[in-house]
Amino acid sequence: VQLQASGGGLVQAGDSLRLSCAASGRSFSNDAMAWFRQAAGKEREFVAAINWSGGSRSYGDDVRGRSTISRDNAKNTVYLQMNSLRPEDTAVYYCAAKNGIGFMFKLSSTDEYDYWGQGTQVTVSS
């Protein structure tokens, strides 16, 4: 099983980015998926999670209102659209997948996830 994150890059404050995470090796259409990020010298933090159908979503406080998580189960891919980017959004962004549906209130924890992608760097300049 592999999760391949892409779409990161160097952007200016106020710009938008769309990250993608393509899963391979098995279908995740019945599993929760999420995005986390880790800035240099900091712990990994929750960004957004989505349930298996896409009908339920949750967001971290720092990105709520500026980001949208979505998924395309036919493509086995999860997306993160980020708008109004800020320098403090600079981090490596990781996608994660859980074996199973999970409970939305638990999906902000790294402990819930069984598979992790390699990360994609997002750098926001001021």
Side-chain angles (χ1 to χ4, degrees):
V1 175
Q2 282 193 328
L3 301 178
Q4 182 71 42
S6 61
L10 173 62
V11 297
Q12 294 186 332
D15 285 351
S16 297
L17 272 180
R18 188 194 196 204
L19 305 183
S20 299
C21 175
S24 61
R26 77 166 181 87
S27 172
F28 286 95
S29 61
N30 293 318
D31 305 300
M33 299 186 76
W35 288 94
F36 288 78
R37 68 186 183 185
Q38 189 165 16
K42 296 187 177 181
E43 293 187 352
R44 193 166 297 191
E45 67 171 355
F46 172 68
V47 176
I50 189 167
N51 77 331
W52 66 276
S53 68
S56 294
R57 310 172 193 193
S58 63
Y59 297 93
D61 291 342
D62 290 345
V63 304
R64 188 177 295 113
R66 300 187 293 122
S67 298
T68 302
I69 188 171
S70 61
R71 66 189 298 162
D72 184 337
N73 285 341
K75 295 182 178 180
N76 221 19
T77 299
V78 64
Y79 305 96
L80 182 68
Q81 175 70 42
M82 299 189 295
N83 302 320
S84 303
L85 284 162
R86 305 167 181 169
E88 53 265 41
D89 293 319
T90 295
V92 178
Y93 283 71
Y94 298 91
C95 60
K98 177 180 174 60
N99 273 327
I101 297 174
F103 295 100
M104 287 304 297
F105 73 95
K106 289 187 176 181
L107 294 180
S108 60
S109 170
T110 57
D111 293 341
E112 286 294 297
Y113 297 92
D114 302 287
Y115 305 100
W116 291 86
Q118 87 290 355
T120 184
Q121 176 71 47
V122 172
T123 303
V124 184
S125 64
S126 58

